[in-house]
Amino acid sequence: MPAPDLLTAELTLTGRITTASNATFLGSIGDVVVVYKPIAGESPLRDFPHGTLAHREVAAYLVSQVIGWDVVPHTWLRDGPLGEGMVQLWREQDPTQSAVDLVATDQVPETGWKHVLEGRDEHGRMVALVHEDSPALRRMAVFDLVVNNADRKGDHILAMADGHRHGVDHGLTFHRDHKLRTVLWGWLGDALTAEERDGIDRVSEGLHGGLGRNLADLLGAEEIASLATRCARLRSAGRFPAPSGEMSAVPWPLF
């Protein structure tokens, strides 16, 4: 059986993801499982223009493709049962793995993990937020710096069985102002690797060509200019930055 045309074949809803803050549905296009977020189901936000989150998700996918690390699953805009929206290929994560975790402060692993912060849980016990120290997750952290991700929660990281890490839920990205909120602070101050620097360079160069033309249909001119500035500053600094500004450095909730 030929693969369905993902842009034009019927999109059938099969369920709803009720934990999402915006209307989010599971669906299928033929035998292809997808996530569908209609623009009409986006909740108004104080600091992001209304009706733009689906476009930002597609823009994040385009940057993911150019940076070259397959962070974001295939994402596109199309019509659906509830109007135009974002559609993304469903990726089934490995339930036995977790790239981000909360552990008792006296049980933080000595190797293979990065310590982010400490606090008390609902029972008053001291716990630590940790994430794995892996090249795949480092690349996601660099990607988040580039796209100015304001909502990298632990549950927005899909741990795949082969060790790959996908990132999802990129509606709160590309703001012209600094908005970085993430659980991936474990490499603060570390120098960027040659691979990471090359990825940033690919985005910078792409903004003068096909990437820039494609993003112009999805983002505002000031947002694209801010993306270029972030790439230049990150490349010049050559290392993971520290949190800045008065806003929280981590999203809430953390997962």
Side-chain angles (χ1 to χ4, degrees), residues 66-67 69-70 74 76 89 119 147 166 179 184 203 217 220 247:
V66 170
I67 209 168
W69 302 328
D70 190 28
H74 186 194
W76 64 100
L89 293 183
V147 303
H166 280 303
K179 293 285 184 180
L184 303 180
V203 176
D217 294 329
M247 54 178 263

Side-chain angles (χ1 to χ4, degrees), residues 19-236:
T19 55
S21 56
N22 297 292
T24 304
F25 300 89
L26 280 176
S28 61
I29 304 173
D31 59 356
V32 178
V33 180
V34 298
V35 176
Y36 166 56
K37 298 181 182 180
I39 294 173
E42 295 179 6
S43 300
L45 297 170
R46 176 182 56 81
D47 50 352
F48 281 82
H50 184 53
T52 68
L53 304 190
H55 295 78
R56 296 172 192 278
E57 296 239 32
V58 176
Y61 167 71
L62 295 178
V63 171
S64 170
Q65 290 298 101
V66 170
I67 209 168
W69 302 328
D70 190 28
V71 174
V72 183
H74 186 194
T75 309
W76 64 100
L77 287 173
R78 60 156 288 171
D79 195 26
L82 299 174
E84 185 180 46
M86 178 226 82
V87 178
Q88 185 175 83
L89 293 183
W90 174 261
R91 290 289 181 255
E92 191 68 43
Q93 62 182 328
D94 182 354
T96 68
Q97 297 188 46
S98 179
V100 182
D101 204 357
L102 284 174
V103 299
T105 53
D106 60 355
Q107 295 180 12
V108 175
E110 294 184 3
T111 60
W113 291 79
K114 292 288 189 178
H115 178 281
V116 178
L117 55 81
E118 294 182 0
R120 294 187 182 276
D121 67 10
E122 65 273 22
H123 303 293
R125 298 172 297 200
M126 290 299 299
V127 294
L129 175 68
V130 298
H131 63 68
E132 66 182 17
D133 183 11
S134 69
L137 206 60
R138 268 185 67 117
R139 289 191 292 267
M140 186 181 298
V142 173
F143 170 80
D144 285 344
L145 292 170
V146 168
V147 303
N148 197 18
N149 192 351
D151 197 33
R152 176 62 73 201
K153 294 181 171 71
D155 285 346
H156 294 175
I157 300 167
L158 307 183
M160 311 307 290
D162 62 358
H164 188 70
R165 299 314 184 228
H166 280 303
V168 296
D169 288 308
H170 295 106
L172 301 186
T173 49
F174 298 105
H175 200 286
R176 66 181 184 181
D177 300 328
H178 175 73
K179 293 285 184 180
L180 184 67
R181 290 189 292 264
T182 176
V183 296
L184 303 180
W185 285 110
W187 299 285
L188 190 155
D190 286 5
L192 298 171
T193 66
E195 179 190 15
E196 292 159 355
R197 295 194 300 271
D198 288 346
I200 297 166
D201 288 344
R202 286 191 290 272
V203 176
S204 294
E205 294 163 5
L207 290 176
H208 299 289
L211 176 62
R213 290 190 295 272
N214 291 331
L215 290 180
D217 294 329
L218 301 165
L219 304 172
E222 289 185 344
E223 293 170 332
I224 296 173
S226 293
L227 168 59
T229 298
R230 284 194 301 275
C231 288
R233 288 177 176 170
L234 184 58
R235 190 64 172 84
S236 176

